[in-house]
Amino acid sequence: MTTSGEHDVIYTINDAAERELAELTAGAGVAMIVALEGYIDAGQAGKLLSDDLLRASRRLVTFDTDEFIDARSRRPMVTYDDGAYFDLKRHVLAMDVCQDAQGVPFLLLHGLEPDYRWDRFVTAVLALAERFGVDLTINVHGIPVAVPHSRPSKFTTTATRGDLVEDTDQWFDRVTLPAALATVLHVRLGEEGRDAVGIAVHVPHYLAQMPYFPAALGLADRIASLTRLELDTAVLEDEATKTIDEVASRVTASAELTQLVASLEGQYDAVEAGRSEASLLISDLDQSANNLADEVEQFLAQQRPEQK
């Protein structure tokens, strides 16, 4: 193991995993996916994708969470039973090596978004990216938008170079908003002339508080198109189908919900076809549409309690 304390950033590198990565890349560049928890992630899209990718991965870098995470604001969970505590869920902030279906490696930066020392953390990640030969960084998350679940996922993308992404259909005008750590990393990469892309998948706002697998699947497909990685999405595909079926079941059982979704479908189709300049921001929706969120979430909680 190699430990670094440069710039007060403490992390440990798994030397064996680094050697394996070097053998797999053979000098070629490697992509890095960034899916940190703590910023906006509607439908848990980024986390669901990250969890799926971690099913077959190897830890490469482990950051010292005491340096970055406020444990009192995000306390670790522990189980109590029969007079004893056990199964302490320690905070994680790490970088793993994953492989696609063809054995092509890529990196995944995951865990909790740091509370402290953003500049120092970003500086460390930049140094690690240089060390491991990262040639493209992709940040992923979900954002709540007034779109229906019955239409294909759309995306808002950002890039440090205009030719990194094929489409420029953003669906949003200029806006100023609080930055995520991944956004700071994106900006720093651009300042250093490195390639980076941000992918925000649009999640139906009324499903933003539940695990929404179609959004995670959309992110995986988008990454594949950008990197040519052949990601194994079988689990995500299965869960996405179940999610859509469950939501559709609830909607069709209610005339009011059917009407609300139909209204969103009409707005979605008109905006996409260029027939309308209507905004898809949540604030522009009629309040009645927000009632769908409570209806669907309660229904899905009853059907799939393990996803609560």
Side-chain angles (χ1 to χ4, degrees):
M1 294 291 201
T2 300
T3 301
S4 173
E6 297 179 12
H7 308 292
D8 294 332
V9 174
I10 297 174
Y11 56 82
T12 301
I13 298 176
N14 183 334
D15 296 332
E18 183 176 18
R19 288 193 296 270
E20 179 181 327
L21 174 64
E23 293 174 358
L24 290 170
T25 59
V30 61
M32 179 172 67
I33 299 170
V34 179
L36 296 174
E37 302 172 42
Y39 188 61
I40 299 170
D41 189 24
Q44 301 176 30
K47 186 178 188 314
L48 291 175
L49 174 62
S50 175
D51 289 347
D52 186 71
L53 296 175
L54 287 172
R55 289 186 297 110
S57 67
R58 185 171 185 179
R59 187 60 42 86
L60 177 62
V61 179
T62 302
F63 291 91
D64 184 352
T65 55
D66 278 347
E67 289 291 313
F68 305 108
I69 306 300
D70 180 359
R72 291 200 302 172
S73 66
R74 293 188 282 188
R75 296 179 184 272
M77 302 303 293
V78 65
T79 299
Y80 169 86
D81 187 36
D82 195 23
Y85 288 110
F86 60 95
D87 193 25
L88 176 64
K89 304 295 186 184
R90 291 179 171 84
H91 292 321
V92 174
L93 182 57
M95 186 184 296
D96 281 37
V97 179
C98 308
Q99 295 183 51
D100 75 352
Q102 300 301 317
V104 178
F106 60 95
L107 303 182
L108 174 65
L109 179 62
H110 63 97
L112 296 179
E113 178 188 59
D115 296 301
Y116 309 120
R117 305 177 180 89
W118 277 25
D119 284 341
R120 294 171 181 174
F121 180 79
V122 168
T123 297
V125 173
L126 290 172
L128 291 168
E130 179 72 21
R131 175 171 178 165
F132 300 140
V134 172
D135 59 3
L136 177 63
T137 300
I138 305 172
N139 172 46
V140 296
H141 68 287
I143 56 174
V145 180
V147 294
H149 66 276
S150 52
R151 294 293 187 267
S153 294
K154 292 293 183 180
F155 308 87
T156 294
T157 57
T158 56
T160 54
R161 287 193 294 109
D163 59 346
L164 286 176
V165 291
E166 294 181 359
D167 64 89
T168 58
D169 183 10
Q170 301 298 321
W171 287 45
F172 296 106
D173 294 326
R174 179 171 179 169
V175 61
T176 301
L177 68 165
L181 184 140
T183 308
V184 177
L185 175 61
H186 182 102
V187 171
R188 288 280 300 278
L189 286 164
E191 290 173 347
E192 296 192 4
R194 305 190 194 185
D195 290 345
V197 173
I199 307 174
V201 60
H202 298 180
V203 176
H205 89 287
Y206 52 91
L207 302 174
Q209 299 303 314
M210 58 165 277
Y212 190 63
F213 283 92
L217 178 60
L219 288 174
D221 291 341
R222 194 72 162 183
I223 290 171
S225 67
L226 281 171
T227 63
R228 301 189 184 280
L229 289 169
E230 296 185 23
L231 301 180
D232 180 2
T233 58
V235 174
L236 291 179
E237 290 172 3
D238 183 58
E239 291 295 333
T241 298
K242 292 178 182 177
T243 299
I244 292 299
D245 288 346
E246 290 168 352
V247 173
S249 176
R250 179 56 177 168
V251 170
T252 56
S254 167
E256 180 182 4
L257 298 185
T258 299
Q259 183 177 359
L260 287 172
V261 172
S263 176
L264 290 175
E265 289 173 339
Q267 179 174 273
Y268 176 104
D269 295 341
V271 171
E272 186 174 26
R275 298 192 304 270
S276 171
E277 296 182 356
S279 171
L280 296 178
L281 295 176
I282 297 171
S283 60
D284 295 321
L285 286 176
D286 185 270
Q287 180 60 36
S288 61
N290 293 316
N291 297 333
L292 185 55
D294 295 333
E295 294 271 0
V296 173
E297 187 172 2
Q298 180 179 4
F299 172 75
L300 294 179
Q302 296 170 349
Q303 298 298 311
R304 306 173 70 186
E306 73 277 5
Q307 298 290 352
K308 287 183 64 177

